[in-house]
Amino acid sequence: VLGVFGVLGVFGVVGLKTVYEDTLKTMNPGDTYVAFGSIGQAFGTLSGYLDQYVKRRVKKNISFRGIAPTDDMAISFAHEDKHKLREIRLVPQDKFPFTNEIDIYGDKVAILSFQDQIGLIIESKQIADTQKAIFELAWIGAKHAK
């Protein structure tokens, strides 16, 4: 349940899963959400769960665009983009060493730390709109990052 200010803090692996479940509850078929983050860290912490989550996201016809640091796992994920309703742009890990994840969906922004096992969901149209604009700027830059 969101607090008075539209903020929900969650802890542990169950809490991190709660954030992902909220994307499925919030988004409608045909919607797209965006994120910055480390694929390796996310799947390192929640591998079995995230495999099932992606299947459910695809079944619900929710697409995804993400920016991730280049590593072996991210490269292999990028090859599966089309049939998993996603597009991932990879950026140099040495210049952009993302250690947490930021998801932007609907009027919400979620911040996840896999190492600390902390998740935070902020529900605010103003904050979500600004974060979407920042993502779009980074998306353009990620296309040219080598």
Side-chain angles (χ1 to χ4, degrees):
V1 175
L2 291 174
V4 219
F5 300 105
V7 177
L8 171 67
V10 294
F11 304 95
V13 170
V14 171
L16 296 173
K17 291 177 183 178
T18 298
V19 174
Y20 284 104
E21 291 301 315
D22 190 61
T23 66
L24 295 177
K25 273 187 357 193
T26 301
M27 305 297 289
N28 295 311
D31 286 349
T32 300
Y33 81 94
V34 299
F36 304 89
S38 166
I39 293 169
Q41 288 207 9
F43 276 80
T45 303
L46 301 171
S47 62
Y49 167 78
L50 283 178
D51 290 333
Q52 293 305 310
Y53 167 83
V54 170
K55 288 178 185 173
R56 291 186 297 133
R57 180 183 56 74
V58 169
K59 186 175 181 179
K60 192 172 175 183
N61 194 32
I62 297 169
S63 57
F64 169 78
R65 289 188 302 138
I67 300 171
T70 302
D71 61 23
D72 291 340
M73 186 174 279
I75 291 167
S76 71
F77 270 56
H79 291 297
E80 302 173 339
D81 277 1
K82 189 170 184 171
H83 71 277
K84 295 204 175 169
L85 296 180
R86 70 178 175 222
E87 184 179 355
I88 297 172
R89 290 198 178 161
L90 302 178
V91 295
Q93 189 168 23
D94 60 332
K95 290 182 182 176
F96 305 100
F98 301 155
T99 58
N100 71 322
E101 181 174 310
I102 300 172
D103 299 342
I104 305 140
Y105 57 101
D107 289 341
K108 298 179 181 181
V109 175
I111 302 170
L112 302 98
S113 170
F114 300 103
Q115 184 175 350
D116 299 326
Q117 295 189 358
I118 296 170
L120 176 69
I121 299 172
I122 303 167
E123 185 169 12
S124 162
K125 181 171 178 23
Q126 183 181 13
I127 291 173
D129 286 350
T130 297
Q131 291 301 309
K132 284 177 198 166
I134 293 168
F135 176 87
E136 294 303 333
L137 178 63
W139 184 254
I140 292 166
K143 184 174 185 175
H144 304 290
K146 298 288 177 212

Coordinates of all heavy atoms in Angstrom, one line a residue, residues 91-129:
V91 N 25.6 0.3 -23.2 CA 26.5 1.4 -23.1 C 27.8 0.8 -22.4 O 27.7 -0.2 -21.8 CB 25.9 2.5 -22.2 CG1 24.8 3.2 -23.0 CG2 25.5 2.0 -20.9
P92 N 28.9 1.4 -22.6 CA 30.2 0.9 -22.0 C 30.1 0.8 -20.5 O 29.7 1.8 -19.8 CB 31.2 2.0 -22.5 CG 30.6 2.7 -23.6 CD 29.1 2.7 -23.4
Q93 N 30.4 -0.3 -20.0 CA 30.3 -0.6 -18.6 C 31.3 0.3 -17.8 O 31.0 0.8 -16.7 CB 30.6 -2.0 -18.2 CG 30.3 -2.4 -16.8 CD 30.2 -3.9 -16.6 OE1 30.8 -4.7 -17.4 NE2 29.5 -4.3 -15.6
D94 N 32.5 0.6 -18.4 CA 33.5 1.4 -17.7 C 33.0 2.8 -17.5 O 33.3 3.5 -16.5 CB 34.8 1.3 -18.3 CG 34.8 1.8 -19.8 OD1 33.8 1.7 -20.4 OD2 35.9 2.3 -20.2
K95 N 32.2 3.3 -18.4 CA 31.7 4.7 -18.4 C 30.4 4.8 -17.6 O 30.1 5.9 -17.0 CB 31.6 5.3 -19.8 CG 32.8 5.6 -20.5 CD 32.5 6.2 -21.8 CE 33.8 6.4 -22.6 NZ 33.5 7.0 -23.9
F96 N 29.6 3.8 -17.7 CA 28.3 3.8 -17.1 C 28.1 2.5 -16.2 O 27.3 1.6 -16.6 CB 27.2 3.8 -18.2 CG 27.4 5.0 -19.1 CD1 28.0 4.9 -20.3 CD2 27.0 6.3 -18.7 CE1 28.2 5.9 -21.2 CE2 27.2 7.4 -19.6 CZ 27.8 7.2 -20.8
P97 N 28.7 2.4 -15.1 CA 28.7 1.2 -14.3 C 27.4 1.2 -13.4 O 27.5 1.3 -12.1 CB 29.9 1.3 -13.4 CG 30.2 2.8 -13.3 CD 29.7 3.4 -14.6
F98 N 26.2 1.1 -14.0 CA 25.0 1.1 -13.2 C 25.1 0.0 -12.2 O 25.3 -1.2 -12.5 CB 23.8 0.8 -14.1 CG 23.6 1.8 -15.2 CD1 22.9 1.5 -16.3 CD2 24.1 3.1 -15.1 CE1 22.6 2.4 -17.4 CE2 23.8 4.0 -16.1 CZ 23.1 3.6 -17.3
T99 N 24.8 0.3 -10.9 CA 24.7 -0.7 -9.8 C 23.3 -0.9 -9.2 O 23.2 -1.7 -8.4 CB 25.7 -0.4 -8.7 OG1 25.4 0.9 -8.2 CG2 27.2 -0.4 -9.3
N100 N 22.4 -0.1 -9.7 CA 21.0 -0.3 -9.3 C 20.2 -0.2 -10.5 O 20.7 -0.1 -11.6 CB 20.6 0.7 -8.2 CG 20.5 2.1 -8.7 OD1 21.2 2.6 -9.6 ND2 19.5 2.9 -8.3
E101 N 18.9 -0.2 -10.4 CA 17.9 -0.2 -11.5 C 16.9 0.9 -11.2 O 16.5 1.1 -10.1 CB 17.2 -1.5 -11.7 CG 16.3 -1.6 -12.8 CD 15.7 -3.0 -13.0 OE1 16.5 -3.9 -13.1 OE2 14.5 -3.1 -13.1
I102 N 16.5 1.6 -12.3 CA 15.5 2.6 -12.2 C 14.4 2.3 -13.3 O 14.8 2.2 -14.5 CB 16.0 4.1 -12.4 CG1 17.0 4.4 -11.3 CG2 14.8 5.0 -12.4 CD1 17.7 5.7 -11.5
D103 N 13.2 2.0 -12.9 CA 12.1 1.6 -13.8 C 11.1 2.8 -13.8 O 10.8 3.3 -12.7 CB 11.4 0.4 -13.3 CG 12.3 -0.9 -13.3 OD1 13.4 -0.8 -13.9 OD2 11.9 -1.9 -12.6
I104 N 10.7 3.2 -15.0 CA 9.7 4.2 -15.1 C 8.5 3.7 -15.8 O 8.6 3.2 -17.0 CB 10.3 5.4 -15.9 CG1 11.6 5.9 -15.2 CG2 9.3 6.6 -15.9 CD1 12.7 6.3 -16.1
Y105 N 7.3 3.7 -15.2 CA 6.1 3.1 -15.8 C 4.9 3.8 -15.2 O 4.8 4.1 -14.0 CB 6.1 1.6 -15.4 CG 6.1 1.2 -14.0 CD1 5.0 0.9 -13.3 CD2 7.3 1.3 -13.2 CE1 5.0 0.6 -11.9 CE2 7.4 0.9 -11.9 CZ 6.2 0.6 -11.2 OH 6.2 0.3 -9.9
G106 N 3.9 4.1 -16.1 CA 2.8 4.8 -15.7 C 3.2 6.1 -15.0 O 4.0 6.9 -15.6
D107 N 2.6 6.4 -13.9 CA 3.0 7.6 -13.1 C 3.9 7.2 -12.0 O 3.9 7.8 -10.9 CB 1.7 8.3 -12.6 CG 0.9 9.0 -13.7 OD1 1.5 9.2 -14.7 OD2 -0.3 9.3 -13.4
K108 N 4.7 6.2 -12.2 CA 5.6 5.7 -11.1 C 7.0 5.6 -11.5 O 7.3 5.3 -12.7 CB 5.1 4.3 -10.7 CG 3.7 4.3 -10.1 CD 3.2 2.9 -9.7 CE 1.8 2.9 -9.2 NZ 1.4 1.5 -8.8
V109 N 7.9 5.7 -10.5 CA 9.3 5.5 -10.7 C 9.7 4.5 -9.6 O 9.4 4.8 -8.4 CB 10.1 6.8 -10.6 CG1 11.6 6.5 -10.6 CG2 9.7 7.8 -11.7
A110 N 10.4 3.4 -10.0 CA 10.8 2.5 -9.0 C 12.4 2.5 -9.0 O 13.0 2.5 -10.1 CB 10.3 1.1 -9.3
I111 N 13.0 2.4 -7.9 CA 14.4 2.3 -7.7 C 14.7 1.1 -7.0 O 14.2 0.9 -5.9 CB 15.0 3.6 -7.0 CG1 14.6 4.9 -7.7 CG2 16.5 3.4 -6.8 CD1 14.9 6.1 -7.0
L112 N 15.6 0.2 -7.5 CA 15.9 -1.1 -6.9 C 17.4 -1.2 -6.7 O 18.2 -0.9 -7.6 CB 15.4 -2.2 -7.8 CG 14.0 -2.3 -8.1 CD1 13.7 -1.7 -9.5 CD2 13.5 -3.7 -8.1
S113 N 17.8 -1.6 -5.5 CA 19.2 -1.9 -5.3 C 19.2 -3.4 -5.0 O 18.7 -3.9 -4.0 CB 19.7 -1.2 -4.1 OG 21.0 -1.7 -3.7
F114 N 19.8 -4.2 -5.9 CA 19.9 -5.7 -5.7 C 20.9 -6.0 -4.6 O 20.6 -7.0 -3.9 CB 20.2 -6.3 -7.1 CG 19.2 -6.0 -8.1 CD1 19.4 -5.1 -9.1 CD2 17.9 -6.6 -8.0 CE1 18.4 -4.7 -10.0 CE2 16.9 -6.3 -9.0 CZ 17.2 -5.4 -10.0
Q115 N 22.0 -5.3 -4.5 CA 22.9 -5.6 -3.5 C 22.4 -5.4 -2.1 O 22.5 -6.2 -1.2 CB 24.2 -4.8 -3.7 CG 25.3 -5.1 -2.7 CD 26.6 -4.3 -3.0 OE1 26.7 -3.7 -4.1 NE2 27.5 -4.4 -2.1
D116 N 21.7 -4.3 -1.9 CA 21.1 -3.9 -0.6 C 19.7 -4.6 -0.4 O 19.2 -4.5 0.7 CB 21.0 -2.4 -0.5 CG 22.3 -1.7 -0.5 OD1 23.3 -2.3 -0.1 OD2 22.3 -0.6 -1.1
Q117 N 19.2 -5.1 -1.5 CA 17.8 -5.7 -1.5 C 16.8 -4.7 -0.9 O 16.0 -5.0 0.0 CB 17.8 -7.0 -0.8 CG 18.6 -8.0 -1.5 CD 18.5 -9.4 -0.9 OE1 17.8 -9.7 0.1 NE2 19.2 -10.4 -1.5
I118 N 16.8 -3.5 -1.6 CA 15.9 -2.4 -1.2 C 15.2 -2.0 -2.5 O 15.8 -1.8 -3.5 CB 16.6 -1.2 -0.6 CG1 17.3 -1.6 0.7 CG2 15.6 0.0 -0.4 CD1 18.2 -0.5 1.3
G119 N 13.9 -1.8 -2.4 CA 13.1 -1.2 -3.5 C 12.3 0.0 -3.0 O 11.8 0.0 -1.9
L120 N 12.1 0.9 -3.9 CA 11.3 2.1 -3.6 C 10.4 2.4 -4.8 O 10.9 2.5 -5.9 CB 12.2 3.3 -3.3 CG 11.6 4.6 -3.0 CD1 10.9 4.6 -1.7 CD2 12.7 5.7 -3.0
I121 N 9.1 2.6 -4.6 CA 8.2 3.0 -5.6 C 7.7 4.4 -5.3 O 7.2 4.6 -4.2 CB 7.1 2.1 -5.8 CG1 7.5 0.7 -6.2 CG2 6.1 2.6 -6.9 CD1 6.4 -0.4 -6.2
I122 N 7.9 5.4 -6.2 CA 7.3 6.7 -6.0 C 6.2 6.9 -7.0 O 6.5 6.7 -8.2 CB 8.4 7.8 -6.2 CG1 9.6 7.6 -5.3 CG2 7.9 9.2 -6.0 CD1 10.9 8.4 -5.6
E123 N 5.0 7.3 -6.6 CA 3.9 7.5 -7.5 C 3.7 9.0 -7.5 O 3.3 9.7 -6.6 CB 2.7 6.8 -7.0 CG 1.5 7.0 -8.0 CD 0.3 6.1 -7.8 OE1 0.3 5.5 -6.7 OE2 -0.5 6.1 -8.7
S124 N 4.1 9.6 -8.7 CA 4.0 11.0 -8.9 C 4.1 11.3 -10.4 O 5.1 10.9 -11.0 CB 5.1 11.8 -8.2 OG 5.3 13.1 -8.7
K125 N 3.1 11.8 -11.0 CA 3.1 12.1 -12.4 C 4.3 13.0 -12.8 O 5.0 12.8 -13.8 CB 1.8 12.7 -12.9 CG 1.8 13.0 -14.4 CD 0.4 13.3 -14.9 CE 0.3 13.7 -16.4 NZ 1.3 13.2 -17.2
Q126 N 4.5 14.0 -12.0 CA 5.6 15.0 -12.3 C 6.9 14.3 -12.2 O 7.8 14.5 -13.1 CB 5.5 16.1 -11.2 CG 6.6 17.2 -11.5 CD 6.5 18.3 -10.5 OE1 5.9 18.2 -9.4 NE2 7.2 19.4 -10.8
I127 N 7.2 13.5 -11.2 CA 8.5 12.8 -11.1 C 8.6 11.8 -12.3 O 9.7 11.8 -12.9 CB 8.7 12.2 -9.7 CG1 8.8 13.3 -8.7 CG2 9.9 11.2 -9.7 CD1 8.8 12.7 -7.2
A128 N 7.6 11.1 -12.5 CA 7.6 10.1 -13.6 C 7.9 10.7 -15.0 O 8.7 10.3 -15.8 CB 6.4 9.2 -13.6
D129 N 7.2 11.8 -15.2 CA 7.3 12.5 -16.5 C 8.8 13.0 -16.7 O 9.4 12.9 -17.8 CB 6.3 13.7 -16.7 CG 4.9 13.2 -16.9 OD1 4.7 12.0 -17.2 OD2 4.0 14.0 -16.8

